[in-house]
Each structure stands twice: as C-alpha cells, then as structure tokens.
Amino acid sequence: MTVRRVYIVAGELSGDNLGTGLMRALKARHPDVEFRGIGGPGMIGEGMESRFPLEILSVMGLVEVIKHLPELIRVRRSLRSDALAWQPDIMIGIDAPDFNLGLERQLREAGITTAHYVSPTVWAWRQGRVKGIARSVDAMLTFLPFEAAFYARHRVPVAFVGHPLADELPLTNDRATARAALGLDEDAAILALLPGSRTNEIRFLGDTFLDAAEQLCRTRPGLKVVIPAATPKRHEELSELLAARPDLAGRVVLLDGRAREAMVAADAVLLASGTAALEAMLCHRAMLVAYKMAPATHWLAKRLVKTEWISLPNLIARETLVPELIQEAASASAIAARLGEMLDDDDYRLALETRFAEMHAGLQRDASRRACDAVEALVEGRALPESVSPASAIAAAEAGAKPGGARAGEVGEVKSPEQAETRERTER
C-alpha cells in the first residue's frame, strides 16, 4: 500500500527537525506522498503545507499555557476540521503532548490512524496519563529503550526507533574545523551560550546567561562567547539584550542558527534544558544546564515532577554528569563559578567528552528509517515490525551496558513502572 497523505503537527524547532527526517524517509519510499499540518522551515522545505506558523504552539510552562488556552483551542479545532476534510492516511503528532494528544484522540475517534512521535515524560510524573495516551494513539514512537518498556508494560502499542540526532551527528567531530568555519581563533577559550528557542526562555534566561558571560569575560581576557540564535525573532531579542552590555562588545559572536557548529567549536556549553542538552551530549561537549520559569510554574512543577534530573544526559546515564542549576540556584554568579571551574579543568572536559561519545554510539539506531517502518505498518494495518519492538529496546539497553554505570538509554535500575512507583513512595 502506498502512503499518500500524512498529516503532521510539530510543536517547536526540535519537532521540525524530527519531522524533516521522517518526511525525507517517507518521500524516499513514496515519492508522491503529500504532507499537511504544522511545521517549521525544514518541514516546509520538504513539501509540508503548514496551516499555522510553528511558533504558535511554542508555549512553555503550566501557567503560560493557561494564558494562551483560547488561541490553542481555536488552532486545534481548525486543524481537526482541516484533517477531517483532507482525510490523511495517518496523523502524526510530534512532541507538544498537551496539544497533540487531544487532537490525536479526536481524529482517532473519527477513524483516522494516529501516532505520537516523542514520548511525554509519563515515567517521571502523572503516570495515569498513559490511559489517555492509549485512547489517543495507535502507536507511540519512542527515542529511548526505557520509554518503550514502559508503554509495553501498560499495553500501549510502541515502536522504539532511537534518536534521530544520534544518527545525524557524527561519532567524531573536529573542534578546529568548526572554529575555522565560524571565524574563531583555534587556540581561544570558547563558551557556547544557548538560552533557548522560546520567547519565555529568553525572557527568563537571557539576562542571567549574559550576566554570567560578562563575569567570565572580566576574569578571562581571551574568552570568546558564541551565541547561536534559534530564529530571527530570538536574534532580535538577543541583539537588544547585548546592546545594553557594552562590556561584551567584541567578545560575543551572535549567529543566525548554526548551534551545532557553535557547540562543536566550544570548550564548554551553557544552555537551557531540553533537546539542546542532548545535542550538546551528541557533540561530546562539557555543559552546564540552567533553567528558570515563572514562579507559579516552578511551584507546581516541584510538586508534580518525581525525577532526580531534568537533563537528558543525566537521565540516560542515571548519574549527574551534567551540573543542573534550577530557578533560584541559576544565578549569574553561580553559573559563572561552575563554568569557570569547567573551563579550567582540561582533564574533566576530556573525560566527559569520552563518556558522551560512548553514550552517543549506544543511541544510534537509524531512527528516521525505523519511524518510517512503523508509519508504513500502521497505514497498512500490519503489526509493528520486530525491529522497533520493545524486545529490540531491551536488547539495545543490554548492548549499551557500561561497566560500573547504567545501561545506555535506561534510567538506572528502574526497569518497570512498578519499581518506579515503589521508588517514588520511598522517596516521599
């Protein structure tokens, strides 16, 4: 059976990257396939007819979502009507679970096959959500082995596809080449600074990150700071913040995109939590994760989230490889102090780069192709292929076991929802 029409809704730039890879894989097998929904520049470049700008769904935080709720409801109603009129073979929501799972459920109830790409963190908080997910999707496509095992135990059809970024980024990288491409001195100390791709992240982190950079530049005359702006709007916002800091003139290189080159070129990376932390890990660079949010959002999050770490490198390794500074702890002085220690310790950075390269190798699965395999099976009404089964996830975790450490892709020794629940009760 030919895949003819695919409706895809991505929620932010990381979802646009995932959608772009999946679209390419589908087009390679089904040259006449059409795409519609919401996508960013990558997906539009592959032929997506985007019904709304990507940023319309890029709302982060519990309180912030409530403020934008009327607009989000309007957009979802519009997409539902559009999808039902277009009658795709499958609808795929990429991330943005609070938005996409509701849309997926409505379309599935109307008879359209649905899948969700990127698992919500149901293993970390509100595990009861898995019941709603089971009603919303014909299959969940997961990045990491422990996620696939979680859904299998809850009898939700699941495909473990691996992480596309692990496939996309090379296992070896060249810092000198990246510096030359960005016009940076090969021997300089370089800090890459990534405050996030969302408006709220610039709002809560922009000043703090730049204040930390100022402190570091005062004590390190040769330090250069590279800031890749995720979008033209973020470039404009960051330019305004930099204009108020004349001491950083000549010390900062503000880029249009090119985040990966900036991270590969860097000695250390300062970033907001999210996919960027995984990307920095796959670039094999030492990093510090810092995050701030609205006080009310943080108050709620502290009471709902039951996980020890927020960054994917730490979650995958089940240990604190990456320092995390959250909310009040993420002050400019604290950030500058931790980064200063990192920049001064060559042995620490080298050891972390080696560990990240090992973790990278364990996550390579040719994810876009495997996601395409799963989509084809769903459209054709076949069972999901063995290559994306939960059994393959367990095999991948076992193959990635490291002496003295957690298995690649596994959250430490917590191997089942029952163990996770027992652990949470113990911690409480």
Side-chain angles (χ1 to χ4, degrees):
M1 182 185 294
T2 298
V3 180
R4 301 166 300 126
R5 292 182 172 183
V6 180
Y7 208 88
I8 308 181
V9 178
E12 56 182 285
L13 280 173
S14 60
D16 180 57
N17 292 333
L18 296 171
T20 300
L22 177 56
M23 288 171 66
R24 286 175 182 159
L26 285 165
K27 284 168 63 179
R29 301 183 193 179
H30 308 276
D32 296 326
V33 65
E34 299 177 64
F35 300 99
R36 193 176 174 104
I38 294 181
M43 294 170 70
I44 292 170
E46 291 296 324
M48 157 75 71
E49 183 182 342
S50 189
R51 309 301 293 171
F52 293 92
L54 180 73
E55 285 200 345
I56 202 162
L57 302 185
S58 298
V59 181
M60 186 69 174
L62 302 173
V63 175
E64 291 79 3
V65 168
I66 291 171
K67 291 193 296 186
H68 290 85
L69 194 57
E71 182 181 30
L72 293 172
I73 291 172
R74 177 184 65 82
V75 171
R76 188 156 67 186
R77 285 175 178 166
S78 176
L79 292 174
R80 177 182 180 275
S81 298
D82 185 58
L84 290 175
W86 197 53
Q87 283 296 298
D89 299 311
I90 188 170
M91 183 268 170
I92 304 166
I94 302 180
D95 213 352
D98 292 326
F99 182 91
N100 271 328
L101 287 168
L103 177 61
E104 289 156 20
R105 183 173 180 178
Q106 293 171 0
L107 295 179
R108 190 172 187 235
E109 288 173 349
I112 293 174
T113 300
T114 63
H116 192 84
Y117 196 4
V118 187
S119 170
T121 53
V122 286
W123 41 268
W125 67 299
R126 290 172 56 204
Q127 290 193 0
R129 289 178 293 166
V130 74
K131 297 176 182 177
I133 291 171
R135 293 191 293 270
S136 300
V137 303
D138 289 284
M140 176 66 71
L141 312 185
T142 71
F143 288 164
L144 302 171
F146 75 87
E147 296 173 325
F150 176 88
Y151 285 104
R153 291 188 184 96
H154 284 82
R155 297 177 175 82
V156 177
V158 61
F160 164 56
V161 301
H163 205 299
L165 281 177
D167 301 319
E168 187 176 337
L169 292 169
L171 281 174
T172 58
N173 56 59
D174 189 334
R175 185 180 270 112
T177 298
R179 292 186 173 197
L182 296 175
L184 300 171
D185 186 342
E186 183 177 346
D187 298 321
I190 305 292
L191 171 68
L193 192 156
L194 291 82
S197 61
R198 302 180 181 95
T199 297
N200 278 341
E201 288 173 329
I202 301 299
R203 173 188 168 198
F204 288 114
L205 297 171
D207 280 320
T208 300
F209 277 23
L210 291 178
D211 287 347
E214 274 190 310
Q215 292 181 30
L216 286 166
C217 285
R218 280 198 292 269
T219 58
R220 288 169 169 76
L223 180 67
K224 284 282 189 179
V225 181
V226 182
I227 308 177
T231 66
K233 181 62 176 174
R234 300 295 86 80
H235 190 286
E236 179 184 334
E237 292 165 349
L238 289 165
S239 294
E240 291 176 1
L241 293 176
L242 286 167
R245 291 173 170 79
D247 289 348
L248 287 177
R251 305 293 296 276
V252 171
V253 179
L254 182 60
L255 303 171
D256 291 312
R258 306 179 75 177
R260 291 177 193 172
E261 282 181 286
M263 287 190 280
V264 171
D267 295 293
V269 182
L270 169 62
L271 44 72
S273 181
T275 305
L278 178 66
E279 196 164 357
M281 185 196 91
L282 296 172
C283 290
H284 316 155
R285 292 298 175 260
M287 74 188 88
L288 169 65
V289 168
Y291 208 80
K292 290 184 178 182
M293 60 200 83
T297 298
H298 183 247
W299 183 87
L300 288 170
K302 283 200 303 183
R303 284 150 181 80
L304 294 174
V305 176
K306 300 296 181 182
T307 182
E308 190 171 348
W309 300 281
I310 66 165
S311 65
L312 278 173
N314 290 342
L315 286 164
I316 293 168
R318 194 54 184 175
E319 61 178 293
T320 305
L321 300 178
V322 174
E324 298 178 353
L325 298 177
I326 312 302
Q327 210 64 4
E328 292 86 358
S331 66
S333 57
I335 291 170
R338 295 300 294 271
L339 284 173
E341 294 170 0
M342 198 176 293
L343 289 166
D344 290 339
D345 193 337
D346 295 344
D347 291 339
Y348 165 82
R349 296 198 313 276
L350 180 59
L352 202 53
E353 289 175 11
T354 302
R355 180 70 184 277
F356 285 162
E358 293 172 350
M359 293 167 67
H360 184 175
L363 290 176
Q364 286 191 328
R365 301 280 295 175
D366 197 0
S368 292
R369 179 181 63 80
R370 290 178 187 267
C372 181
D373 292 342
V375 168
E376 285 182 328
L378 291 169
V379 169
E380 295 171 11
R382 296 185 283 108
L384 292 167
E386 185 63 26
S387 63
V388 297
S389 69
S392 76
I394 293 169
E398 290 175 347
K402 300 289 184 233
R407 292 171 176 176
E410 180 178 83
V411 177
E413 298 306 315
V414 180
K415 300 181 180 67
S416 73
E418 293 77 15
Q419 287 173 305
E421 289 165 3
T422 299
R423 174 175 165 163
E424 287 182 10
R425 286 196 296 271
T426 301
E427 289 177 347
R428 285 198 291 268

